[in-house]
Amino acid sequence: MFVRRESFGQYIRSYPVVTTIIVLNLVFFLLLTIPVFPNQFIFQSLAGVNLYIAEGEWWRIITPIFMHSSFSHLFFNCFSLVILAPSLEVLLRKNRFLFLYLASGIFANIATYIFEPLTYVHVGSSGAIFGLLGFLFFLAIYKKHLISSSHAQMIIVVGMIALIFSFTDIRVNITAHLAGMLFGFIYARIIFK
């Protein structure tokens, strides 16, 4: 489930949605970091800023899912996608997987808007990634026949570590992590009712 044995080309062909999401993350990061582009304007126009969302700029609930504040932020989230997402894209197929990813991220950003102050600024795909983790949690707990016991144990351990780290770094949007995970768990419950 988590070990990747495909070549680069096989990975792209086998997991087109995951690949597209990773490419979008990379493109947005390049737009924000390469000095040729008006990167400050792009960041100011697309980052999740609760005050601007309150003033009607609702696209800021979606666009932060594809933006990252640093290379390490981008790397960790893309690495998580490479490892966690392929099995879910296969299990759910393209449309349901894409819905899980985007809806988890949007739900996480809406929760951030509701529970964080108006001055709060947020970027990153971790709310969406925690949605994948929440979905995997559900499988590990309630649908053990779909995954091996060793993978189920690994999901629980990785998920718990991710949650613990969420509370140890003040830069982390804990609200988005918890909301994304909750959405993924509930979505899995709906699919496997």
Side-chain angles (χ1 to χ4, degrees), residues 25-43:
N25 286 337
L26 292 171
V27 167
F28 270 86
F29 186 73
L30 290 173
L31 290 174
L32 292 173
T33 55
I34 295 177
V36 175
F37 300 109
N39 44 20
Q40 281 298 79
F41 173 76
I42 293 169
F43 185 85

Side-chain angles (χ1 to χ4, degrees), residues 45-58:
S45 300
L46 302 178
V49 180
N50 284 349
L51 178 62
Y52 298 152
I53 294 170
E55 292 176 351
E57 297 183 8
W58 289 100

Side-chain angles (χ1 to χ4, degrees), residues 7-185:
S7 69
F8 184 69
Q10 289 170 326
Y11 187 95
I12 291 170
R13 285 189 299 279
S14 299
Y15 315 114
V17 177
V18 175
T19 302
T20 301
I21 292 168
I22 291 170
V23 167
L24 284 171
N25 286 337
L26 292 171
V27 167
F28 270 86
F29 186 73
L30 290 173
L31 290 174
L32 292 173
T33 55
I34 295 177
V36 175
F37 300 109
N39 44 20
Q40 281 298 79
F41 173 76
I42 293 169
F43 185 85
Q44 291 170 0
S45 300
L46 302 178
V49 180
N50 284 349
L51 178 62
Y52 298 152
I53 294 170
E55 292 176 351
E57 297 183 8
W58 289 100
W59 65 84
R60 293 176 185 271
I61 289 174
I62 301 166
T63 53
I65 298 170
F66 301 101
M67 300 174 65
H68 293 84
S69 59
S70 67
F71 180 76
S72 60
H73 188 205
L74 171 76
F75 177 80
F76 182 76
N77 282 341
C78 286
F79 180 76
S80 298
L81 279 169
V82 167
I83 301 301
L84 294 175
S87 60
L88 288 176
E89 183 172 343
V90 170
L91 176 68
L92 296 173
R93 312 235 187 243
K94 294 174 190 174
N95 291 337
R96 279 186 171 176
F97 172 77
L98 182 60
F99 176 81
L100 168 63
Y101 185 81
L102 292 177
S104 295
I106 290 168
F107 186 78
N109 289 336
I110 290 171
T112 299
Y113 170 68
I114 292 170
F115 294 109
E116 297 296 338
L118 285 176
T119 55
Y120 198 78
V121 178
H122 52 100
V123 294
S125 58
S126 52
I129 291 168
F130 268 78
L132 304 183
L133 209 50
F135 195 98
L136 289 168
F137 259 0
F138 181 88
L139 295 181
I141 296 168
Y142 297 107
K143 295 295 178 182
K144 295 178 182 176
H145 65 281
L146 293 175
I147 54 177
S148 70
S149 60
S150 62
H151 284 143
Q153 290 172 351
M154 188 182 304
I155 289 165
I156 299 296
V157 169
V158 167
M160 296 309 291
I161 291 170
L163 279 174
I164 290 167
F165 279 122
S166 295
F167 288 96
T168 61
D169 188 341
I170 60 169
R171 297 169 296 169
V172 170
N173 183 350
I174 297 166
T175 303
H177 287 195
L178 295 175
M181 185 174 274
L182 177 65
F183 183 89
F185 193 88

